[in-house]
Amino acid sequence: MPSELDGSGSARGNAVRWLAAALAPFLGLVLVVLAFWIYGRLFKPDATFLSSFRLALIAKQTAIVGMGALGMTAIIAAGGIDLSVGSLLALSSVCLALGLEQGYPAYVAVLAAIAIAALGGALNGVLITSLRLVPFIVTLGTMLFFRGLAERLADQKKIQAASAPEWLGTLLDPPARGSWALVCDGVWIVLVLGVLLALVLNRTVFGRRLFAIGSSEPTARLCGVPVAATKIQVYALGGAFLGLAGVFQFAELNKQGDPTAGAGLELEVIAAVVIGGGSLSGGRGSVLGSLLGASMMTTLRSGCVFAEVSDPMQKMWIGAIIVGAVAVDRFRQRAA
Amino acid sequence: MNSAAALLELRDIAKRFGATQALDGVSLALAPGEVHALIGENGAGKSTLMKVLAGVESPDAGEMRLAGERYAPRSPAAARKLGVAMIHQELAIAPHLSVEANVLLGAERTSMGVLRRGEQRRIARAALARLGRGELDLERPAGLLPIAEQQIVEIARALASSARVLVLDEPTSSLGAHDVARLFSLVRELAASGLAIVYISHFLEEVSALCTRYTVLRDGRSVASGLLAETSHEQLVRHMVGREMGEMFPRVPHARGEALLEVRGLSGSKKPEELSFTLHRGEILGLAGLVGAGRSEVLRCLYGLDGVVAGSVSGARGLRSPTTPRASIAAGLGFVSEDRKGEGLFLDLSLADNLCATALEPFSRGGLLSLRRRDLRVRERLADLRCKARSPRQAIRELSGGNQQKVAIARLLHQDAEILLLDEPTRGIDVGTKAEIYRWIGELASRGKAVILVSSYLPELMNVCDTLGVLCRGRLVALRPIEEWTREEVMRLAVGA
């Protein structure tokens, strides 16, 4: 921010430094895209990595992970963690399908699904604050609990909600050719919510409290921050984002509620946040970083398919790149 | 000193980090059996010098000799092997491991990878016995021991690796007076047995009581050294700050006003017991006592951080018996914690976040913050306090200890506290900043605020406070105007004699 640069030094030097700092988070994503593009130019003369089809696919996959990463960014900034994200997503998608099946209007079913996931998140928060257990343990438990609940509600089957309105099925579909929208509705929703969340984290009392708790809970208590209430709110907020991710998932599966969806999502979401500069010990995290982290993960996956990397090699590469990306970020932070 | 007799000799040591010349010509000579004081303000280069000695950093220039041989350790392990051991201010104890395992940590005796427990026990026992703690339970997890005993375990670790040079960095900062006395007699015995000891401290009284010679560091240089017996505290302070200090304890005239806080029969869940006193506007009330006497607990109870089991508190602004810090802040109380890093500050956050954490309302409208107005206010505060910082958005981690503490105190001004509860506000900060904080406390009193000051540093209490109370085992045993106290009398009551 320009207001930070009020010290000595030439204005031009400052502008360059500001630009470098502003662009640094994009570096990882740019490198990944560049690598696959060069690979395509060298070895696949008949295809390009940057096709509109592939970009649409990447955007679509990013929407779900990115939505989860938004909530996780707030939770991690507050020094917490939520392992139950995949289960909450499944619970939300199942509830949405059930609601539609029962004949409720689409918007009521959607709001109910989001509210149920938010309640699930709030339950995490209540357990963490009232039992004084570490979030890792509580959400490990609720990860199983919510998964079981989703499976039970769905009777261990996928629920097809054929009666769902068209817009609910096409949230993640690419826009019509030539449309001004460029990317699917889901991505726009993630971007708008991302801007709002960034505003909340940086420019509201609630947001500063999150970072305060994440940085040092004893200090936050000393400063009169309502620690328990704030924590419950942030887990509920994270749940709400997952509720929406569950709605995306429902669209992705062609109007199906799937109780097994989102298994392993927690690891992808956490990886996205830490690649984006979030600290698992709390006090740090950025919305832009997390969304870029999520894009980087899905681009990598898509790129591996493009480059015909075998599935086992794909896993090894992605694992190595996650660790490498975080190490580079930490190094950059220390150097700054 | 005759350099032939020196056990450890440093000559013109220099070390640069990026743009900062951390050390710029440090020379020091240590004789066996000597306790040598190393003093200097924060940022004078003491910790860099320690890192060089311990093998954490290697110097860019200069020479070190240990018993006549060139000494250039590549790592702390190498330094320890050569007989140079450090005891840091923040103890390096593995809390879950036993006393024995801690004493032999990093120097375990093994045969074919298996611990030789018998030998380990013998060595640990012998090292502890040399420190007069042969009776300590070797199986006990070290983390369960009191701090003073943990420190003994660390010194035993140094002895177990046959240290010849022992460096103690601010070893008394978390000890009570009784433990300090025990530590001093121990240090003297170790010196008498031929160890050379470097003693780093901010407390000039301690240094005079314990050490024979001194070296003063300033701006990375050794600027003065000599015999402590021939040097006054004023001279030492002048060497440390490099200018005339005027006075260590500047007096700001202030007068006592009406009662602001009435405490009657207050008992906390841990301590204190049946505490009663009245605090007035413009009054600086000091609390003295040993560690564990319940001084911090008095403040924590009043502020709502510790539970209250009995008694009442009443005062202006609708102040009632404490419930939560949040309610206390609203009632005009402010608290500075003794644990600056763990509880006082948000180390990951910016200076502005830290300064405004207790009161964001002035900049928020409907929950939305105006960062511009916040930064403006923070800038004013920083200027008031002469706090050296680049910008309100600067990370608090980058500031020196003294400047960090200024921010912690500035937070109370920002929230407009009427009653300031200060727990060891000058711990671990340099002389110059200490004097500023004393002046500041005086100015607050002159503006009609009330201050309760807890300190382990008696000269500070004697020179800053108007009223002094002494706590012993959770009870306030005496509360008198400062003129009626002598240091001996304070100590006599504090130890419960």
Side-chain angles (χ1 to χ4, degrees):
Chain A
M1 239 152 274
S3 63
E4 285 180 65
L5 305 163
D6 52 354
S8 55
S10 73
R12 209 173 129 210
N14 281 338
V16 169
R17 226 172 302 150
W18 180 76
L19 201 67
L23 292 182
F26 292 90
L27 192 66
L29 184 60
V30 169
L31 282 179
V32 168
V33 170
L34 208 61
F36 286 117
W37 181 75
I38 291 173
Y39 175 89
R41 292 302 294 265
L42 291 178
F43 302 108
K44 292 194 125 191
D46 51 336
T48 172
F49 180 61
L50 295 171
S51 70
S52 58
F53 164 76
R54 202 176 330 276
L55 291 185
L57 190 70
I58 290 174
K60 172 173 159 175
Q61 287 169 349
T62 305
I64 292 178
V65 177
M67 187 60 85
L70 288 182
M72 191 69 89
T73 304
I75 291 173
I76 283 182
I81 192 100
D82 186 355
L83 299 180
S84 70
V85 293
S87 305
L88 280 174
L89 171 137
L91 183 63
S92 153
S93 85
V94 165
C95 289
L96 175 59
L98 283 175
L100 292 167
E101 219 186 17
Q102 299 284 318
Y104 287 102
Y107 67 92
V108 173
V110 166
L111 286 179
I114 294 171
I116 285 166
L119 267 178
L123 178 68
N124 280 335
V126 169
L127 289 175
I128 288 162
T129 51
S130 62
L131 300 179
R132 291 169 196 238
L133 291 176
V134 291
F136 190 94
I137 301 296
V138 168
T139 58
L140 185 68
T142 55
M143 173 172 88
L144 284 169
F145 182 84
F146 293 142
R147 177 70 66 190
L149 183 62
E151 286 174 356
R152 205 193 132 125
L153 287 174
D155 205 12
Q156 289 179 286
K157 287 193 294 268
K158 288 184 179 148
I159 300 172
Q160 186 74 44
S163 62
E166 200 47 40
W167 61 267
L168 205 46
T170 58
L171 277 173
L172 297 186
D173 291 356
R177 195 164 279 275
S179 152
W180 58 271
L182 288 172
V183 287
C184 61
D185 297 344
V187 171
W188 282 113
I189 296 176
V190 169
L191 289 177
V192 169
L193 288 179
V195 170
L196 283 178
L197 181 67
L199 201 67
V200 166
L201 289 186
N202 296 307
R203 295 293 173 96
T204 65
V205 176
F206 173 69
R208 294 331 288 167
R209 281 178 177 164
L210 287 190
F211 282 100
I213 292 170
S215 175
S216 167
E217 212 175 303
T219 313
R221 195 158 284 130
L222 183 148
C223 289
V225 172
V227 174
T230 309
K231 277 189 178 174
I232 293 170
Q233 286 163 13
V234 74
Y235 280 98
L237 182 72
F241 279 114
L242 285 160
L244 206 47
V247 175
F248 286 2
Q249 183 73 42
F250 174 84
E252 157 88 10
L253 295 174
N254 286 319
K255 307 184 194 172
Q256 249 183 12
D258 180 0
T260 62
L265 180 73
E266 60 283 347
L267 297 182
E268 280 190 57
V269 167
I270 293 168
V273 174
V274 295
I275 287 173
S279 162
L280 287 185
S281 50
R284 284 204 348 210
S286 111
V287 169
L288 177 65
S290 298
L291 289 181
L292 288 169
S295 316
M296 198 172 128
M297 301 272 295
T298 42
T299 308
L300 263 174
R301 196 148 289 155
S302 187
C304 284
V305 172
F306 170 73
E308 290 162 32
V309 178
S310 70
D311 192 49
M313 280 309 286
Q314 207 183 103
K315 286 185 177 135
M316 289 164 74
W317 271 110
I318 293 178
I321 287 172
I322 290 175
V323 174
V326 176
V328 168
D329 178 65
R330 294 300 179 270
F331 182 74
R332 207 166 49 80
Q333 297 277 352
R334 240 174 290 143
Chain B
M1 176 195 292
N2 180 357
S3 66
L7 177 58
L8 179 71
E9 197 182 3
L10 277 62
R11 212 177 283 156
D12 294 325
I13 300 293
K15 178 74 192 175
R16 173 184 277 278
F17 295 108
T20 20
Q21 188 76 42
L23 296 178
D24 188 15
V26 174
S27 300
L28 186 108
L30 260 184
E34 178 186 11
V35 186
H36 193 107
L38 185 66
I39 51 188
E41 288 195 274
N42 284 352
K46 285 173 302 182
S47 40
T48 310
L49 186 63
M50 289 308 102
K51 282 181 184 159
V52 167
L53 263 180
V56 178
E57 304 280 354
S58 49
D60 301 334
E63 195 189 28
M64 298 194 281
R65 293 190 160 272
L66 183 65
E69 308 259 313
R70 214 173 84 81
Y71 171 71
R74 288 298 182 88
S75 69
R80 197 174 150 190
K81 209 166 248 167
L82 290 168
V84 177
M86 310 266 148
I87 311 292
H88 290 283
Q89 188 174 3
E90 268 116 44
L91 294 176
I93 284 283
H96 301 101
L97 299 189
S98 69
V99 167
E100 174 205 310
N102 267 291
V103 170
L104 285 133
L105 198 63
E108 292 83 356
R109 303 302 141 106
T110 59
S111 55
M112 297 198 303
V114 179
L115 287 179
R116 299 219 303 260
R117 291 297 304 278
E119 189 181 349
Q120 291 236 83
R121 298 178 64 83
R122 198 174 48 69
I123 294 171
R125 180 77 66 209
L128 288 167
R130 224 176 127 189
L131 300 171
R133 294 292 196 296
E135 80 294 346
L136 215 60
D137 180 4
L138 291 179
E139 298 302 326
R140 197 132 189 252
L144 297 182
L145 300 174
I147 294 284
E149 301 277 303
Q150 293 185 19
Q151 199 174 42
I152 297 290
V153 169
E154 265 213 76
I155 298 176
R157 185 189 295 161
L159 295 183
S161 58
S162 29
R164 291 183 283 176
V165 176
L166 187 64
V167 181
L168 297 164
D169 184 10
E170 299 273 356
T172 59
S173 56
S174 44
L175 299 186
H178 183 60
D179 292 322
V180 169
R182 292 220 297 184
L183 178 73
F184 279 13
S185 65
L186 242 168
V187 169
R188 284 193 195 101
E189 280 168 34
L190 289 175
S193 74
L195 262 75
I197 293 167
V198 179
Y199 188 89
I200 303 174
S201 179
H202 275 111
F203 301 117
L204 296 182
E205 284 75 14
E206 280 186 2
V207 163
S208 311
L210 183 64
C211 306
T212 38
R213 289 155 38 80
Y214 69 89
T215 297
V216 179
L217 287 191
R218 187 175 79 232
D219 303 329
R221 288 195 196 104
S222 39
V223 291
S225 66
L227 286 170
L228 277 161
E230 296 168 359
T231 317
S232 70
H233 283 180
E234 285 68 33
Q235 281 171 305
L236 287 178
V237 169
R238 209 176 306 136
H239 285 312
M240 284 161 76
V241 299
R243 55 179 192 271
E244 292 293 334
M245 253 318 278
E247 219 192 326
M248 189 64 219
F249 299 103
R251 292 291 299 178
V252 181
H254 55 271
R256 182 200 264 216
E258 84 260 28
L260 198 54
L261 179 74
E262 298 259 3
V263 178
R264 291 289 166 263
L266 187 73
S267 294
S269 53
K270 299 178 217 158
K271 279 160 188 160
E273 284 172 50
E274 293 171 30
L275 177 76
S276 297
F277 67 91
T278 305
L279 183 70
H280 304 84
R281 280 190 184 283
E283 179 179 4
I284 305 170
L285 190 154
L287 289 179
L290 306 179
V291 165
R295 298 167 305 174
S296 298
E297 286 83 352
V298 170
L299 302 190
R300 301 183 77 85
C301 254
L302 287 173
Y303 191 64
L305 276 168
D306 282 2
V308 172
V309 293
S312 72
V313 173
S314 60
R317 267 206 224 175
L319 183 62
R320 260 176 251 290
S321 289
T323 49
T324 61
R326 199 171 167 67
S328 300
I329 291 168
L333 263 66
F335 177 57
V336 170
S337 170
E338 62 176 330
D339 179 7
R340 185 166 67 230
K341 290 190 170 134
E343 192 183 39
L345 296 173
F346 303 106
L347 286 181
D348 302 307
L349 303 187
S350 72
L351 209 154
D353 274 326
N354 271 285
L355 205 154
C356 305
T358 42
L360 286 166
E361 298 78 27
F363 328 111
S364 82
R365 203 167 286 155
L368 207 63
L369 293 175
S370 160
L371 298 188
R372 196 183 52 80
R373 276 191 294 147
R374 182 193 69 171
D375 289 355
L376 263 173
R377 172 73 85 84
V378 170
R379 254 177 239 280
E380 286 169 20
R381 292 282 176 225
L382 294 180
D384 287 350
L385 297 169
R386 295 194 287 138
C387 177
K388 291 170 207 134
R390 280 201 318 275
S391 132
R393 308 267 175 97
Q394 188 180 1
I396 193 105
R397 202 184 275 288
E398 295 171 11
L399 300 186
S400 71
N403 282 321
Q404 286 183 355
Q405 190 68 351
K406 285 184 181 177
V407 174
I409 299 179
R411 185 192 287 153
L412 306 196
L413 302 193
H414 170 65
Q415 77 200 46
D416 197 22
E418 289 283 308
I419 300 169
L420 292 92
L421 312 173
L422 309 179
D423 198 356
E424 304 280 3
T426 63
R427 171 180 288 176
I429 64 179
D430 56 274
V431 180
T433 309
K434 272 187 188 176
E436 280 184 60
I437 289 180
Y438 299 141
R439 179 176 329 105
W440 219 22
I441 292 175
E443 273 169 20
L444 286 169
S446 76
R447 279 191 259 150
K449 315 262 185 204
V451 179
I452 305 183
L453 175 64
V454 162
S455 175
S456 298
Y457 185 43
L458 199 45
E460 173 174 296
L461 291 174
M462 299 296 286
N463 284 289
V464 173
C465 300
D466 308 313
T467 325
L468 184 68
V470 176
L471 285 155
C472 180
R473 296 193 189 91
R475 287 180 181 276
L476 185 64
V477 288
L479 182 70
R480 302 173 199 157
I482 199 74
E483 308 80 49
E484 296 173 21
W485 285 104
T486 62
R487 292 172 69 163
E488 292 70 27
E489 177 75 355
V490 173
M491 284 320 298
R492 195 179 65 76
L493 289 175
V495 298

